[in-house]
Amino acid sequence: MGYDHINRGTYERKRLVERYTYLPLQIAEVMFLVKYRDEYVDKNVLDIGCGAGRTTAYMRHWAKDYTCIDYSEGMTDHCKRRFDGIRCLCCDVRDMSAFRDQEFDFVLFANNGLDSLDHDDRIKGLLEVRRVLKDGGIFIFSSHNRSYRHCRSEPKLEFALDPAAMFRKVTLHRRRCRNRQKNRIFERDEEKFSIINDSSHLYSLITYYVDQRTQAEQLREQDFEPMEVYDWAGNSLGLHGDDQESSWLYYVARKLGQNGRAATP
Ligand SMILES: C[S@@+](CC[C@H](N)C(=O)[O-])C[C@H]1O[C@@H](n2cnc3c(N)ncnc32)[C@H](O)[C@@H]1O
């Protein structure tokens, strides 16, 4: 049995939608948005897994045409209410038939949304990104890092002196333990990736983890040229930096043209 419905259910939860609403840009995002500004300013931009619109708040002003999608109706409904007149669709990265081939100059899939999918669906998603992106266009996304030293954990009860605070901690701990017990069966280690029920959202997500070298290989297999990797703190690691301290990594890749070369942008 797959776990797609579990991750999807988590992202439909009203509380989570609210939680994602006012988060700021991450440092890595600021770094690559400054560096690659010519790739999206006044261009056609697709923002995948937009959530409650964290990146929409910025990208919609800079793009010529800005479109955002998310497979959670809760997220897209919220995003549409928040940004009047926005082109925001409830749509899954695995099937973006709503869009033409090569419709976009720049595609973003921020904050690890791609990691909600199991391996075959991830490849399906990458192929769809490739299809809707122009030759020479840029794809930036983040993914959990299998080399991160703390990627596996078990729920731990925290302590507080204040009884009310302690009560809240116990309640949360119980929820963490319940989710962990339910979701750990989906964990597996493959040669090139791991599926891990990590601590995010009280252990309610099942997440794809891959190391930097393998992710670069996976991109090349789908005719993208990996260009750069950023760690969580916004350092550019080139393609081979030490990344054990970074729970996820941002990848910048260019879509190769028909002849296997990066078209002149
Ligand atoms: C961690 S949240 C990040 C949301 C937003 N990008 C942000 O940074 O605040 C990941 C988002 O990806 C979306 N997502 C996951 N799998 C998806 C898929 N297959 N197609 C479209 N969206 C997806 C989820 O619904 C969720 O809103």
Side-chain angles (χ1 to χ4, degrees), residues 156-160 166 169-170 173 176:
K156 280 194 190 73
L157 179 60
E158 293 162 8
F159 287 91
M166 188 64 210
K169 284 185 187 300
V170 169
H173 181 67
R176 285 193 190 97

mmCIF file with all atom_site columns, all heavy atoms in Angstrom, residues 156-160 166 169-170 173 176:
data_model
loop_
_atom_site.group_PDB
_atom_site.id
_atom_site.type_symbol
_atom_site.label_atom_id
_atom_site.label_alt_id
_atom_site.label_comp_id
_atom_site.label_asym_id
_atom_site.label_entity_id
_atom_site.label_seq_id
_atom_site.pdbx_PDB_ins_code
_atom_site.Cartn_x
_atom_site.Cartn_y
_atom_site.Cartn_z
_atom_site.occupancy
_atom_site.B_iso_or_equiv
_atom_site.pdbx_formal_charge
_atom_site.auth_seq_id
_atom_site.auth_comp_id
_atom_site.auth_asym_id
_atom_site.auth_atom_id
_atom_site.pdbx_PDB_model_num
ATOM 1  N N   . LYS A 1 156 ? 10.558 12.315 21.428 1.00 0.00 ? 156 LYS A N   1
ATOM 2  C CA  . LYS A 1 156 ? 11.132 12.425 22.786 1.00 0.00 ? 156 LYS A CA  1
ATOM 3  C C   . LYS A 1 156 ? 10.254 13.362 23.602 1.00 0.00 ? 156 LYS A C   1
ATOM 4  O O   . LYS A 1 156 ? 9.900  14.433 23.130 1.00 0.00 ? 156 LYS A O   1
ATOM 5  C CB  . LYS A 1 156 ? 12.530 13.034 22.711 1.00 0.00 ? 156 LYS A CB  1
ATOM 6  C CG  . LYS A 1 156 ? 13.586 12.029 22.314 1.00 0.00 ? 156 LYS A CG  1
ATOM 7  C CD  . LYS A 1 156 ? 14.989 12.601 22.584 1.00 0.00 ? 156 LYS A CD  1
ATOM 8  C CE  . LYS A 1 156 ? 16.043 11.718 21.960 1.00 0.00 ? 156 LYS A CE  1
ATOM 9  N NZ  . LYS A 1 156 ? 16.092 11.837 20.520 1.00 0.00 ? 156 LYS A NZ  1
ATOM 10 N N   . LEU A 1 157 ? 9.966  12.959 24.809 1.00 0.00 ? 157 LEU A N   1
ATOM 11 C CA  . LEU A 1 157 ? 9.133  13.816 25.672 1.00 0.00 ? 157 LEU A CA  1
ATOM 12 C C   . LEU A 1 157 ? 9.992  14.935 26.256 1.00 0.00 ? 157 LEU A C   1
ATOM 13 O O   . LEU A 1 157 ? 11.029 14.681 26.861 1.00 0.00 ? 157 LEU A O   1
ATOM 14 C CB  . LEU A 1 157 ? 8.511  12.975 26.795 1.00 0.00 ? 157 LEU A CB  1
ATOM 15 C CG  . LEU A 1 157 ? 7.639  13.733 27.786 1.00 0.00 ? 157 LEU A CG  1
ATOM 16 C CD1 . LEU A 1 157 ? 6.465  14.407 27.093 1.00 0.00 ? 157 LEU A CD1 1
ATOM 17 C CD2 . LEU A 1 157 ? 7.121  12.796 28.877 1.00 0.00 ? 157 LEU A CD2 1
ATOM 18 N N   . GLU A 1 158 ? 9.542  16.160 26.018 1.00 0.00 ? 158 GLU A N   1
ATOM 19 C CA  . GLU A 1 158 ? 10.258 17.307 26.595 1.00 0.00 ? 158 GLU A CA  1
ATOM 20 C C   . GLU A 1 158 ? 9.623  17.652 27.943 1.00 0.00 ? 158 GLU A C   1
ATOM 21 O O   . GLU A 1 158 ? 8.457  17.326 28.175 1.00 0.00 ? 158 GLU A O   1
ATOM 22 C CB  . GLU A 1 158 ? 10.142 18.516 25.667 1.00 0.00 ? 158 GLU A CB  1
ATOM 23 C CG  . GLU A 1 158 ? 10.874 18.314 24.358 1.00 0.00 ? 158 GLU A CG  1
ATOM 24 C CD  . GLU A 1 158 ? 10.417 19.292 23.295 1.00 0.00 ? 158 GLU A CD  1
ATOM 25 O OE1 . GLU A 1 158 ? 9.650  20.220 23.618 1.00 0.00 ? 158 GLU A OE1 1
ATOM 26 O OE2 . GLU A 1 158 ? 10.829 19.099 22.146 1.00 0.00 ? 158 GLU A OE2 1
ATOM 27 N N   . PHE A 1 159 ? 10.397 18.326 28.776 1.00 0.00 ? 159 PHE A N   1
ATOM 28 C CA  . PHE A 1 159 ? 9.876  18.659 30.104 1.00 0.00 ? 159 PHE A CA  1
ATOM 29 C C   . PHE A 1 159 ? 9.729  20.165 30.304 1.00 0.00 ? 159 PHE A C   1
ATOM 30 O O   . PHE A 1 159 ? 10.466 20.951 29.721 1.00 0.00 ? 159 PHE A O   1
ATOM 31 C CB  . PHE A 1 159 ? 10.781 18.067 31.186 1.00 0.00 ? 159 PHE A CB  1
ATOM 32 C CG  . PHE A 1 159 ? 10.624 16.580 31.265 1.00 0.00 ? 159 PHE A CG  1
ATOM 33 C CD1 . PHE A 1 159 ? 11.454 15.750 30.511 1.00 0.00 ? 159 PHE A CD1 1
ATOM 34 C CD2 . PHE A 1 159 ? 9.623  16.006 32.034 1.00 0.00 ? 159 PHE A CD2 1
ATOM 35 C CE1 . PHE A 1 159 ? 11.298 14.369 30.539 1.00 0.00 ? 159 PHE A CE1 1
ATOM 36 C CE2 . PHE A 1 159 ? 9.458  14.626 32.068 1.00 0.00 ? 159 PHE A CE2 1
ATOM 37 C CZ  . PHE A 1 159 ? 10.289 13.814 31.313 1.00 0.00 ? 159 PHE A CZ  1
ATOM 38 N N   . ALA A 1 160 ? 8.731  20.552 31.099 1.00 0.00 ? 160 ALA A N   1
ATOM 39 C CA  . ALA A 1 160 ? 8.556  21.963 31.445 1.00 0.00 ? 160 ALA A CA  1
ATOM 40 C C   . ALA A 1 160 ? 8.146  22.030 32.908 1.00 0.00 ? 160 ALA A C   1
ATOM 41 O O   . ALA A 1 160 ? 7.476  21.125 33.414 1.00 0.00 ? 160 ALA A O   1
ATOM 42 C CB  . ALA A 1 160 ? 7.481  22.586 30.574 1.00 0.00 ? 160 ALA A CB  1
ATOM 43 N N   . MET A 1 166 ? 3.575  21.670 30.606 1.00 0.00 ? 166 MET A N   1
ATOM 44 C CA  . MET A 1 166 ? 3.906  20.242 30.621 1.00 0.00 ? 166 MET A CA  1
ATOM 45 C C   . MET A 1 166 ? 2.761  19.421 30.021 1.00 0.00 ? 166 MET A C   1
ATOM 46 O O   . MET A 1 166 ? 2.978  18.469 29.256 1.00 0.00 ? 166 MET A O   1
ATOM 47 C CB  . MET A 1 166 ? 4.204  19.795 32.059 1.00 0.00 ? 166 MET A CB  1
ATOM 48 C CG  . MET A 1 166 ? 4.748  18.390 32.147 1.00 0.00 ? 166 MET A CG  1
ATOM 49 S SD  . MET A 1 166 ? 6.354  18.238 31.321 1.00 0.00 ? 166 MET A SD  1
ATOM 50 C CE  . MET A 1 166 ? 6.311  16.538 30.799 1.00 0.00 ? 166 MET A CE  1
ATOM 51 N N   . LYS A 1 169 ? 2.907  19.618 26.354 1.00 0.00 ? 169 LYS A N   1
ATOM 52 C CA  . LYS A 1 169 ? 4.010  18.808 25.824 1.00 0.00 ? 169 LYS A CA  1
ATOM 53 C C   . LYS A 1 169 ? 3.642  17.319 25.796 1.00 0.00 ? 169 LYS A C   1
ATOM 54 O O   . LYS A 1 169 ? 3.964  16.598 24.861 1.00 0.00 ? 169 LYS A O   1
ATOM 55 C CB  . LYS A 1 169 ? 5.286  19.028 26.647 1.00 0.00 ? 169 LYS A CB  1
ATOM 56 C CG  . LYS A 1 169 ? 5.960  20.360 26.324 1.00 0.00 ? 169 LYS A CG  1
ATOM 57 C CD  . LYS A 1 169 ? 7.271  20.495 27.043 1.00 0.00 ? 169 LYS A CD  1
ATOM 58 C CE  . LYS A 1 169 ? 7.879  21.878 26.873 1.00 0.00 ? 169 LYS A CE  1
ATOM 59 N NZ  . LYS A 1 169 ? 8.168  22.253 25.499 1.00 0.00 ? 169 LYS A NZ  1
ATOM 60 N N   . VAL A 1 170 ? 2.942  16.882 26.847 1.00 0.00 ? 170 VAL A N   1
ATOM 61 C CA  . VAL A 1 170 ? 2.529  15.473 26.899 1.00 0.00 ? 170 VAL A CA  1
ATOM 62 C C   . VAL A 1 170 ? 1.531  15.179 25.777 1.00 0.00 ? 170 VAL A C   1
ATOM 63 O O   . VAL A 1 170 ? 1.614  14.152 25.090 1.00 0.00 ? 170 VAL A O   1
ATOM 64 C CB  . VAL A 1 170 ? 1.936  15.120 28.285 1.00 0.00 ? 170 VAL A CB  1
ATOM 65 C CG1 . VAL A 1 170 ? 1.273  13.744 28.261 1.00 0.00 ? 170 VAL A CG1 1
ATOM 66 C CG2 . VAL A 1 170 ? 3.013  15.172 29.352 1.00 0.00 ? 170 VAL A CG2 1
ATOM 67 N N   . HIS A 1 173 ? 3.370  14.993 22.577 1.00 0.00 ? 173 HIS A N   1
ATOM 68 C CA  . HIS A 1 173 ? 4.187  13.771 22.550 1.00 0.00 ? 173 HIS A CA  1
ATOM 69 C C   . HIS A 1 173 ? 3.334  12.552 22.201 1.00 0.00 ? 173 HIS A C   1
ATOM 70 O O   . HIS A 1 173 ? 3.732  11.703 21.401 1.00 0.00 ? 173 HIS A O   1
ATOM 71 C CB  . HIS A 1 173 ? 4.861  13.596 23.912 1.00 0.00 ? 173 HIS A CB  1
ATOM 72 C CG  . HIS A 1 173 ? 5.736  12.374 23.979 1.00 0.00 ? 173 HIS A CG  1
ATOM 73 N ND1 . HIS A 1 173 ? 6.895  12.263 23.241 1.00 0.00 ? 173 HIS A ND1 1
ATOM 74 C CD2 . HIS A 1 173 ? 5.603  11.209 24.667 1.00 0.00 ? 173 HIS A CD2 1
ATOM 75 C CE1 . HIS A 1 173 ? 7.450  11.084 23.475 1.00 0.00 ? 173 HIS A CE1 1
ATOM 76 N NE2 . HIS A 1 173 ? 6.686  10.423 24.338 1.00 0.00 ? 173 HIS A NE2 1
ATOM 77 N N   . ARG A 1 176 ? 2.682  12.628 18.546 1.00 0.00 ? 176 ARG A N   1
ATOM 78 C CA  . ARG A 1 176 ? 3.890  12.219 17.818 1.00 0.00 ? 176 ARG A CA  1
ATOM 79 C C   . ARG A 1 176 ? 4.035  10.689 17.833 1.00 0.00 ? 176 ARG A C   1
ATOM 80 O O   . ARG A 1 176 ? 4.279  10.066 16.812 1.00 0.00 ? 176 ARG A O   1
ATOM 81 C CB  . ARG A 1 176 ? 5.142  12.835 18.452 1.00 0.00 ? 176 ARG A CB  1
ATOM 82 C CG  . ARG A 1 176 ? 5.309  14.284 18.145 1.00 0.00 ? 176 ARG A CG  1
ATOM 83 C CD  . ARG A 1 176 ? 6.711  14.768 18.516 1.00 0.00 ? 176 ARG A CD  1
ATOM 84 N NE  . ARG A 1 176 ? 6.766  16.198 18.421 1.00 0.00 ? 176 ARG A NE  1
ATOM 85 C CZ  . ARG A 1 176 ? 6.621  17.049 19.442 1.00 0.00 ? 176 ARG A CZ  1
ATOM 86 N NH1 . ARG A 1 176 ? 6.475  16.594 20.672 1.00 0.00 ? 176 ARG A NH1 1
ATOM 87 N NH2 . ARG A 1 176 ? 6.645  18.348 19.246 1.00 0.00 ? 176 ARG A NH2 1
#
